[in-house]
Amino acid sequence: MKTATDAILTIETVMLKSRNLKRDVELRFYFPNIITDWSALPLLLINDGQDLPVMQFDEMLKQLYEQGSIHPLIVIGITAGKERTMEYGVAGVVDYKGRGAKADLYSAFVLKELLPYIKKRFKVSAFKELSFAGFSLGGLTALDIVWNHPDVFSKVGVFSGSLWWRSVDQDDPSYEDDKHRIMQQVIRNGHFAPGLKFFFQCGKLDESGDRNNNGIIDSIDDTLDHIKELLAKGYRAEDISYLELDDGKHDVPTWGKAMPVFLKWGWGK
């Protein structure tokens, strides 16, 4: 374990051995100091936790706390492994290249290993609320886990989410957006769960692809189509936040720019 502490924030880096993933998972804890009741705090998990130091997440958090912009919360970044494209994805459904084959094992790791470990670490039986976020493929994974476990999680943040994740190659003549985007079908065939809140972020420079030649890049189309599915399922506009950045790219600096907006959306004072 490595620990760094100042007057505002403590950062701990630990390794958790996972039975499901058959590897050690690096976790980076960010939590405020001078807390007496950990169960009163929300918990936020973030996929691709290796990106948090790159965006100087610790300094971002400290600034938000100093400004009084957000309520205290515990944040845990989960470092992706070498098999990221197999562990991330939609549980139980591989994409057209067979990726995501271990997404069910990753979900099991989060629910059956990581959360019990965190509760033990803070000596609590439950937290105020649980949320999940992620970048790119990690964002898709966070959405899948939250959608399938609304009894555990209440909010999700999807930054440049890989919502294109599809069961048929887009170059295949049989491919249709409305049938072959995997997460869209999961939502469409799923059930409304009251209380869930969704945050989506996209950048106009996320990519250059435009499958349907409508002048809008695919990542924005994919995100807006998933939002439409949520609205059709029964979620209200106030349950969903969409942030589109004119200069946003598919990179860590963009997600770092969007992160304070997400934190204020979810836990702002």
Side-chain angles (χ1 to χ4, degrees):
M1 178 186 295
K2 297 180 181 179
T3 304
T5 304
D6 60 23
I8 299 174
L9 195 68
T10 292
I11 304 171
E12 287 184 358
T13 303
V14 301
M15 301 298 292
L16 176 61
K17 186 176 292 294
S18 169
R19 299 183 305 276
N20 283 285
L21 301 179
K22 294 181 172 55
R23 67 177 179 89
D24 291 337
V25 181
E26 181 177 284
L27 308 170
R28 187 171 284 104
F29 289 67
Y30 301 82
F31 53 88
N33 294 327
I34 319 175
I35 299 295
T36 56
D37 182 9
W38 295 108
S39 65
L41 266 61
L43 171 67
L44 168 63
L45 306 178
I46 302 181
N47 284 328
D48 282 316
Q50 70 277 0
D51 291 338
L52 297 181
V54 181
M55 69 174 65
Q56 297 183 313
F57 184 73
D58 56 340
E59 295 301 321
M60 182 191 306
L61 266 184
K62 285 189 281 188
Q63 185 176 36
L64 291 170
Y65 285 143
E66 288 173 340
Q67 294 171 346
S69 298
I70 62 172
H71 292 284
L73 72 160
I74 301 169
V75 182
I76 299 177
I78 311 167
T79 299
K82 294 180 180 179
E83 290 191 289
R84 178 178 179 274
T85 58
M86 297 301 284
E87 293 177 355
Y88 283 0
V90 175
V93 187
V94 297
D95 88 329
Y96 71 99
K97 286 188 174 181
R99 294 170 294 193
K102 295 185 178 182
D104 55 341
L105 295 175
Y106 186 77
S107 294
F109 159 71
V110 170
L111 295 164
K112 298 179 181 180
E113 296 181 278
L114 178 58
L115 290 179
Y117 174 80
I118 297 169
K119 291 175 182 178
K120 183 178 180 181
R121 160 65 182 81
F122 290 99
K123 298 181 173 63
V124 299
S125 58
F127 293 97
K128 182 179 179 180
E129 66 169 8
L130 274 67
S131 303
F132 213 156
F135 315 113
S136 190
L137 187 52
L140 169 69
T141 305
L143 177 60
D144 178 57
I145 291 175
V146 171
W147 177 258
N148 284 297
H149 302 281
D151 55 322
V152 178
F153 297 96
S154 58
K155 296 188 183 84
V156 61
V158 183
F159 296 75
S160 297
S162 297
L163 301 177
W164 58 265
W165 202 246
R166 47 188 170 257
S167 56
V168 173
D169 189 341
Q170 69 174 13
D171 294 327
D172 189 305
S174 68
Y175 174 79
E176 294 183 37
D177 277 347
D178 204 43
K179 291 182 179 180
H180 297 126
R181 285 178 298 196
I182 296 172
M183 191 65 217
Q184 180 186 15
Q185 295 303 311
V186 169
I187 294 172
R188 182 175 295 177
N189 296 322
H191 301 284
F192 173 85
L196 284 184
K197 305 290 184 183
F198 307 84
F199 178 96
F200 295 92
Q201 176 272 323
C202 274
K204 288 186 176 180
L205 304 179
D206 236 313
E207 62 170 320
S208 59
D210 181 9
R211 290 188 304 268
N212 57 7
N213 299 308
N214 67 347
I216 301 173
I217 61 172
D218 293 337
S219 59
I220 291 178
D221 266 343
D222 293 334
T223 300
L224 294 179
D225 284 348
H226 279 69
I227 290 174
K228 290 176 184 176
E229 289 293 338
L230 292 170
L231 292 171
K233 188 58 65 175
Y235 292 96
R236 304 165 300 169
E238 52 263 42
D239 297 325
I240 305 168
S241 179
Y242 174 64
L243 174 65
E244 187 174 295
L245 300 176
D246 289 344
D247 60 349
K249 301 178 181 179
H250 197 90
D251 59 18
V252 175
T254 294
W255 303 328
K257 183 177 180 180
M259 181 60 71
V261 181
F262 169 63
L263 294 173
K264 291 177 184 178
W265 167 80
W267 303 274
K269 289 188 177 180

